[in-house]
Amino acid sequence: MTAHARTEIVVLGGGYAGLAAALRLAPQHRVTLVEPRERFVERVRLHQVAAGQAGAVHPYEKILAGTGIRHVTGRAARLDTAGGRVEVETNDGQHLDLGYDRLVYALGSRTKVPALVPATAGTGTTRVYSAETAADLATRMAGRSGKRNGRLAVVGGGLTGIEMATELGEAHPDCEIRLLTAGSLAATLSEPARRHLRSTLDRLGVRVQEDAPVEDPDEVDADAVLWSAAMTPTTGLAAEAGLALDEHGRVRVDAALRSVSHPEIVVAGDAGAGWRMACATAMPTGAHAAGTILQEARGAAAPPFRLKYVLVCMSLGRSDGLVQVLHTDDRPRDLVLTGRPAAWVKERIVSSTIGLLSYAARHPAALRTLLF
């Protein structure tokens, strides 16, 4: 690859990480984004979707307008690292063979649900749901509007499970909601933060059961189960192609976010090893992965990726929230913001995320603000 040459780059995944990478690369290279959805989903708002609130989706056609990025609506089926090619099954049944000089692997993660039976779109015909099927859960909950004694169990006491439980508890006060967690509630947060969470859940009528591990949704006595217990990286394609993975199934990377076994591939977002799975890490890793490609295309050395954690923000319904201040290594401080001020901060941060991506479509250099 010669310095300053426009190269063929394929970005797998159009979430926070993949979109940030594609937008930063587009002015200087030919970029193809492989993403089966036609609309960008604000994953950090899926608890609101579960509660029946609108929004959280934005057409890629609008976001990518004028960027020169080619959006292929399909699924990457095979990765040929030796030949530098990706086989794609498009949504309309075609098979494409895309060549690349560099590849960004940003396929993210998904909720790992044991024995999940997919819902028929819009019908709510399954008993088990996850964040990915939040709209189906909203349909089911709307269908029981006005009925009493409905029982919903949220499995998972991490941040996703807590946001789901509180949002649904506020939206459906007549529903009996339990939050089950294998260990302690929000174990990664400080004790002041956890005290506020317990108080909020109690106010909303959500019953918390700690030290209550669940192996299978069928074990749970409830009308519906919302599974938020575990996330798994979407790295099956990487494993089949021979990329080195860590013990958690995430792609191992070097300091510049290159695959340690296939350095022509850079990795961003939840599929990569070395950082917490979150929107807060997805966009910075996406921007840095793109920066690695840009630097190396110029013949320069790519700088190491350094991430300094600042905050964890949570929605606890529409009128309450929690902002946990962190040490730079992701350990919680005792400093927390709660109530309406925290809810306001969380909303501003979430709004600024899609706002920055939309702005970066016209001003890609703005993504450098994500790098510390």
Side-chain angles (χ1 to χ4, degrees):
M1 188 189 310
T2 60
H4 303 292
R6 285 179 64 83
T7 59
E8 296 288 346
I9 299 172
V10 172
V11 178
L12 301 183
Y16 295 104
L19 196 52
L23 290 171
R24 191 174 181 197
L25 289 164
Q28 299 182 46
H29 298 285
R30 288 183 290 271
V31 178
T32 299
L33 177 67
V34 178
E35 165 57 54
R37 297 171 298 187
E38 295 184 351
R39 298 181 297 175
F40 173 78
V41 176
E42 289 189 78
R43 192 166 174 176
V44 293
R45 289 194 187 274
L46 289 179
H47 56 284
Q48 296 177 243
V49 174
Q53 299 167 32
V57 292
H58 309 270
Y60 282 107
E61 182 179 12
K62 182 177 180 180
I63 295 174
L64 301 178
T67 64
I69 296 172
R70 176 192 179 196
H71 177 202
V72 173
T73 52
R75 181 184 68 87
R78 181 174 176 271
L79 179 56
D80 174 12
T81 57
R85 311 199 72 80
V86 181
E87 294 180 13
V88 178
E89 297 175 355
T90 67
N91 292 359
D92 59 4
Q94 297 183 54
H95 291 265
L96 298 181
D97 190 23
L98 303 177
Y100 65 84
D101 298 306
R102 302 296 299 268
L103 183 133
V104 180
Y105 195 103
L107 290 176
S109 63
R110 65 187 186 281
T111 307
K112 187 176 182 180
V113 186
L116 176 61
V117 179
T120 301
T123 66
T125 57
T126 184
R127 174 178 173 267
V128 183
Y129 301 86
S130 67
E132 291 82 357
T133 56
D136 290 310
L137 177 58
T139 298
R140 180 186 180 118
M141 298 297 284
R144 60 163 298 282
S145 180
K147 300 178 182 178
R148 295 191 177 277
N149 302 320
R151 298 175 304 156
L152 171 68
V154 179
V155 178
L159 306 190
T160 299
I162 291 168
E163 287 196 317
M164 286 287 186
T166 52
E167 199 76 50
L168 288 163
E170 182 179 84
H172 300 281
D174 59 335
C175 182
E176 178 187 310
I177 299 178
R178 286 183 296 151
L179 177 60
L180 291 76
T181 177
S184 300
L185 180 71
T188 60
L189 300 185
S190 66
E191 186 53 38
R194 294 171 67 195
R195 283 198 299 270
H196 181 73
L197 290 178
R198 293 190 186 97
S199 174
T200 300
L201 289 161
D202 184 63
R203 171 176 60 80
L204 293 172
V206 177
R207 183 158 58 95
V208 178
Q209 293 179 239
E210 296 182 282
D211 301 316
V214 179
E215 298 296 329
D216 191 292
D218 287 340
E219 301 174 15
V220 182
D221 181 19
D223 299 318
V225 177
L226 175 55
W227 195 271
S228 301
M231 300 297 294
T232 186
T234 309
T235 51
L237 187 71
E240 291 172 4
L243 274 68
L245 307 182
D246 72 358
E247 65 274 21
H248 303 294
R250 300 171 76 180
V251 181
R252 293 177 56 212
V253 297
D254 64 13
L257 306 190
R258 295 171 294 229
S259 162
V260 296
S261 58
H262 296 74
E264 74 280 7
I265 297 174
V266 293
V267 185
D270 291 356
W275 49 84
R276 172 163 44 89
M277 291 184 177
C279 171
T281 54
M283 290 179 63
T285 55
H288 192 93
T292 290
I293 294 175
L294 292 173
Q295 287 292 102
E296 293 182 344
R298 301 185 187 107
F305 176 67
R306 294 188 177 92
L307 179 65
K308 296 179 181 179
Y309 292 93
V310 180
L311 302 170
V312 168
C313 300
M314 300 177 62
S315 294
L316 304 176
R318 295 298 84 206
S319 59
D320 195 355
L322 187 148
V323 177
Q324 169 74 72
V325 180
L326 302 173
H327 293 278
T328 57
D329 62 359
D330 206 23
R331 291 179 297 112
R333 298 179 184 269
D334 284 339
L335 181 60
V336 296
L337 180 68
T338 61
R340 288 185 181 276
W344 184 88
V345 170
K346 170 65 187 293
E347 179 57 31
R348 298 288 78 72
I349 291 175
V350 171
S351 298
S352 68
T353 299
I354 184 62
L356 176 59
L357 289 171
S358 298
Y359 183 77
R362 303 183 303 278
H363 306 282
L367 290 168
R368 294 176 185 171
T369 62
L370 296 170
L371 304 176
F372 297 94

